[in-house]
Amino acid sequence: MKVFKFGGASVKNAEGVRNVAKIINRYSDNLVVVSSAMGKITNLLETLGKAYFEKDGKADSIFNSFKAYHNEICAELFEERKTPDSVQNLFTELEIKLNKTPSLDFDFEYDQVVSFGEMTSTLIISEYLNVAGRKNKWIDIRTCLRTDNKFRDASVDWELTEKLVTGIFNFEKERLYVTQGFIGATTWNLTTTLGREGSDFTAAILGNVLNAESVSIWKDVPGVLSADPKKMEGTVKIDALSYREAVEMTYSGAKVIHPKTMKPLHNKGISLYVKSFLSPDDEGTVIHNIDHKIELPPIFIQKENQVLVTLSPKDFSFINIEDIERVVNFLKENRVTVTLMQQSAIDLNLVLNDPDAKLENIFQELMPFYTVRYNIGLTLITIRHYTEETLDWMVKKKDIYLEQHSRLTARMLVKQ
Ligand code: ASP
Ligand code: MG
């Protein structure tokens, strides 16, 4: 069996849904189709979640846009321009939720509201495939993808998930399943999400536990590119990458695939295809078990909204191993992720990825020992497989805050 993942851009309108059906119809394999919310619906639902939580009176009109967006797509897809009952029931469910008083836990409420994007998109896709003659079974992934209760950033309970998923996606009577990316549920059946853009990860989780032959992510780009074409000229498509290369790229900020996607696939040696839903005949990129030292062009990755935090011991002593230990433990306890670390005699530099809490609050505990300085709004530029020429390009950048080179990777933190 194969797992296909379709992102929001592929199902942003009725034409997109029809195109997805066409792609599915090219394959006679047993398939699990994982979909994200349609278009930019998750962003809209984020504002809805906020309005609901803050009771600022804006929830009604946002909810109406949510409904109108999907009704319009349904009108183009279904007979008599009718939104399927199953979809209308979801709208009612969300409306009931919005009429209740929210709890005090924002992250919990966020997940309860935002998950409606994936629920709605998959029901529309599944209903459309059925009426278009491609029989399929819609699965509520929350019945089998089990997570802990860290709302908005839940971790998967692999053992339980494997047991439940293999029972449900058993292909005994079905050849095609349609289900949601990005969402899951706790053992108490409370809806959770895996973090923004988490649908790729869902596809990888299902691929792993179902021992898929391959996982394909259908995108609006021809595959993995050597740089973001919106930011650089002369990008080339890369035909094949090792898991390791792909992990490095996505971790550094390449947005083409969610960074958590690689591990579950690597662990089972499952190939990942990145293909274009606009030209499904084209090869795309394959990520699999190959020697990562194969010739690759320089690959450019930019990660914005980085913060440089510099800690300097107040008594002017050198940064030693105890300092590093203290800081690392502190970061671990506070679940702060660091993209890069570097030390000099009296500075310990940490690069953080867009922290959502106030920095002063995060680092308060360390203030008695260190002077803490921040630089916000920085961009981390990574070049994998750098050359003399690309390094020259890089050092011409102004306002360099930090630089780090290893054998294959050059990194530079700059103000753009
Ligand atoms: N719909 C979710 C988001 O936009 C998940 C995903 O697209 O992967 O973040
Ligand atoms: Mg998305």
Side-chain angles (χ1 to χ4, degrees):
M1 54 81 60
K2 292 178 173 150
V3 179
F4 281 5
K5 182 261 170 173
F6 292 97
S10 66
V11 290
K12 64 173 190 235
N13 51 29
E15 195 194 327
V17 177
R18 283 194 207 101
N19 182 50
V20 162
K22 262 192 222 143
I23 292 175
I24 292 171
N25 276 332
R26 297 160 67 101
Y27 294 82
S28 55
D29 310 75
N30 282 349
L31 288 180
V32 172
V33 167
V34 174
S35 177
S36 305
M38 295 176 152
K40 302 251 182 277
I41 281 296
T42 307
N43 294 352
L44 183 80
L45 288 173
E46 279 193 339
T47 61
L48 178 59
K50 201 159 161 268
Y52 166 61
F53 188 75
E54 291 172 358
K55 302 187 199 109
D56 62 6
K58 293 191 193 129
D60 276 357
S61 82
I62 305 173
F63 170 66
N64 286 335
S65 336
F66 172 81
K67 247 177 29 177
Y69 181 90
H70 293 100
N71 278 334
E72 183 51 42
I73 291 177
C74 290
E76 282 187 50
L77 290 176
F78 299 103
E79 258 178 41
E80 294 172 14
R81 302 180 59 80
K82 189 175 176 295
T83 300
D85 290 343
S86 57
V87 177
Q88 293 194 43
N89 291 343
L90 269 182
F91 295 161
T92 311
E93 200 186 309
L94 178 55
E95 196 170 10
I96 293 171
K97 166 73 192 158
L98 297 172
N99 283 323
K100 286 188 187 148
T101 309
S103 69
L104 297 176
D105 182 347
F106 175 73
D107 291 350
F108 167 80
E109 298 299 349
Y110 173 104
D111 283 358
Q112 309 319 302
V113 171
V114 162
S115 52
F116 276 87
E118 271 68 15
M119 295 297 284
T120 312
S121 66
T122 53
L123 268 181
I124 296 175
I125 295 165
S126 167
E127 296 270 6
Y128 177 73
L129 286 166
N130 274 329
V131 298
R134 185 74 195 247
K135 212 180 132 289
N136 70 92
K137 191 169 167 72
W138 179 82
I139 303 285
D140 181 344
I141 198 77
R142 299 173 302 179
T143 57
C144 52
L145 202 156
R146 286 281 171 257
T147 70
D148 65 5
N149 62 359
K150 186 158 190 269
F151 298 101
R152 292 183 73 179
D153 184 26
S155 297
V156 178
D157 178 335
W158 282 91
E159 221 172 289
L160 200 50
T161 298
E162 172 154 22
K163 213 166 95 196
L164 296 169
V165 164
T166 47
I168 287 179
F169 295 86
N170 57 26
F171 291 97
E172 275 168 17
K173 293 203 192 102
E174 313 291 335
R175 309 218 34 211
L176 172 62
Y177 294 93
V178 175
T179 196
Q180 309 77 38
F182 177 55
I183 69 174
T186 67
T187 38
W188 291 85
N189 281 328
L190 299 173
T191 303
T192 53
T193 62
L194 306 173
R196 286 300 306 264
E197 305 303 329
S199 294
D200 295 349
F201 184 36
T202 304
I205 295 165
L206 295 177
N208 174 298
V209 298
L210 294 169
N211 293 308
E213 198 182 311
S214 63
V215 171
S216 301
I217 296 184
W218 297 87
K219 311 247 343 160
D220 56 1
V221 287
V224 178
L225 304 176
S226 60
D228 182 344
K230 285 183 206 121
K231 290 181 190 144
M232 277 186 87
E233 282 172 15
T235 53
V236 289
K237 190 204 61 143
I238 298 161
D239 297 334
L241 286 171
S242 64
Y243 295 113
R244 180 172 170 173
E245 188 61 45
V247 159
E248 289 291 350
M249 282 178 71
T250 53
Y251 182 81
S252 304
K255 293 200 184 75
V256 61
I257 318 159
H258 191 285
K260 283 188 186 164
T261 312
M262 245 56 70
K263 184 174 186 288
L265 301 179
H266 164 271
N267 291 173
K268 290 251 176 114
I270 299 167
S271 299
L272 174 66
Y273 292 90
V274 181
K275 284 175 67 91
S276 161
F277 61 77
L278 300 168
S279 50
D281 281 327
D282 294 350
E283 286 285 319
T285 299
V286 58
I287 298 162
H288 57 172
N289 262 330
I290 45 169
D291 184 349
H292 72 274
K293 287 192 217 78
I294 52 161
E295 278 287 309
L296 284 169
I299 297 171
F300 292 78
I301 306 138
Q302 301 201 24
K303 199 169 184 166
E304 274 114 29
N305 297 327
Q306 303 296 295
V307 175
L308 173 65
V309 181
T310 306
L311 306 171
S312 321
K314 282 197 166 153
D315 61 359
F316 211 69
S317 58
F318 294 139
I319 292 283
N320 58 28
I321 201 77
E322 282 75 31
D323 291 298
I324 295 177
E325 192 182 359
R326 178 192 282 146
V327 172
V328 167
N329 284 336
F330 164 81
L331 295 169
K332 204 169 131 198
E333 273 158 33
N334 291 280
R335 291 180 110 162
V336 179
T337 359
V338 173
T339 11
L340 201 151
M341 219 163 158
Q342 199 177 64
Q343 74 177 98
S344 67
I346 54 162
D347 286 341
L348 182 59
N349 291 307
L350 310 170
V351 181
L352 310 186
N353 180 34
D354 198 11
D356 43 25
K358 272 224 173 81
L359 290 160
E360 292 75 16
N361 298 346
I362 305 184
F363 286 96
Q364 206 162 29
E365 215 179 289
L366 294 176
M367 303 240 187
F369 314 100
Y370 307 97
T371 310
V372 185
R373 283 170 292 150
Y374 310 99
N375 291 282
I376 60 167
L378 305 179
T379 299
L380 182 63
I381 302 177
T382 302
I383 310 180
R384 293 276 297 161
H385 313 281
Y386 59 87
T387 56
E388 284 296 321
E389 223 184 337
T390 51
L391 280 187
D392 285 349
W393 170 85
M394 198 153 165
V395 291
K396 279 197 201 107
K397 294 260 165 198
K398 278 185 229 102
D399 285 342
I400 300 167
Y401 285 72
L402 193 151
E403 228 182 304
Q404 206 173 71
H405 291 192
S406 64
R407 220 159 32 82
L408 290 179
T409 314
R411 292 213 157 98
M412 193 175 274
L413 190 66
V414 298
K415 185 126 203 164
Q416 297 246 39

